[in-house]
Amino acid sequence: MIKLFKVKEKQRELAENAGGGPPIKKQSAGELRVHKDISELNLPKSCSIQFPNGKDDLMNFEVTIRPDDGYYLGGTFSFSFQVSPIYPHEAPKVKCKTKVYHPNIDLEGNVCLNILREDWKPVLSINTVIYGLFHLFTEPNYEDPLNHDAAAVLRDNPKLFESNVRRAMAGGYVGQTFFARCM
């Protein structure tokens, strides 16, 4: 009986491709969902999305955030997104490509955002993740840090934290770490 289904499936594929063109690549459920999420994006004016591999690769893209408020006002921060074929059952992998002095983003670009880890649910979307990243810049959280030094400064001396953020965004050293200009 299994062979019968394989024969029927092969006949269906042949019928679909009878036009003489190349075989049609089927999209995974993850690709279909990403396509839907991207078509329904409702981003803040200060966020944009780019597809460096072209619109045919929706599973890998970049998001740029330009905070319009808070410590990071005037900065430009890029994030890469890699979406799994089993999305939305697995959160996208997000990395900050811009080296930033931030309590919730380490110097390697790892991002500490609860919805990318334990609080991820399939009902969440790419739009939700982008808003979460945007929120990290308007209200950095020293209580759940990846960069413990930046978190301690934010908690204990917000004025020094603001000065360190400005120095880092202008292109300079904070302690022993050099940050490229991102303003």
Side-chain angles (χ1 to χ4, degrees):
M1 196 176 246
I2 292 174
K3 287 188 179 201
L4 177 63
F5 287 119
K6 288 193 183 275
V7 169
K8 285 200 177 266
E9 186 177 313
K10 189 71 172 167
Q11 286 174 340
R12 186 174 40 78
E13 283 179 25
L14 288 171
E16 287 175 358
N17 297 327
I24 300 166
K25 180 183 176 271
K26 295 191 189 258
Q27 288 186 313
S28 70
E31 288 172 313
L32 292 170
R33 171 66 189 274
V34 167
H35 188 275
K36 177 183 181 292
D37 281 5
I38 289 172
S39 70
E40 295 175 352
L41 279 178
N42 183 18
L43 298 178
K45 290 178 295 203
S46 56
C47 297
S48 62
I49 187 167
Q50 302 84 31
F51 298 90
N53 302 332
K55 292 273 186 181
D56 290 337
D57 183 7
L58 296 181
M59 304 303 271
N60 298 288
F61 55 91
E62 295 176 0
V63 170
T64 303
I65 297 176
R66 293 175 188 84
D68 53 10
D69 193 23
Y71 295 113
Y72 298 91
L73 174 69
T76 301
F77 307 94
S78 294
F79 293 85
S80 64
F81 280 63
Q82 287 184 310
V83 185
S84 162
I86 63 168
Y87 174 81
H89 299 289
E90 181 179 287
K93 305 282 184 252
V94 178
K95 282 276 224 193
C96 187
K97 294 173 59 177
T98 309
K99 193 172 188 179
V100 59
Y101 180 79
H102 195 292
N104 309 111
I105 303 171
D106 70 16
L107 298 175
E108 286 78 45
N110 298 307
V111 179
C112 183
L113 185 62
N114 63 332
I115 61 171
L116 291 175
R117 299 176 308 169
E118 71 274 1
D119 290 343
W120 176 258
K121 293 173 181 52
V123 297
L124 299 177
S125 67
I126 299 297
N127 203 62
T128 310
V129 174
I130 295 171
Y131 269 91
L133 293 172
F134 180 75
H135 184 72
L136 284 182
F137 287 102
T138 57
E139 295 191 30
N141 178 7
Y142 61 80
E143 293 177 357
D144 188 19
L146 276 181
N147 182 334
H148 294 280
D149 294 335
V153 174
L154 176 59
R155 181 188 63 237
D156 300 336
N157 190 343
K159 290 285 185 205
L160 178 59
F161 179 79
E162 182 174 12
S163 170
N164 287 348
V165 168
R166 289 280 150 213
R167 189 174 320 117
M169 288 186 353
Y173 282 90
V174 175
Q176 300 296 313
T177 305
F178 179 75
F179 295 86
R181 182 177 175 84
C182 66
M183 294 181 83

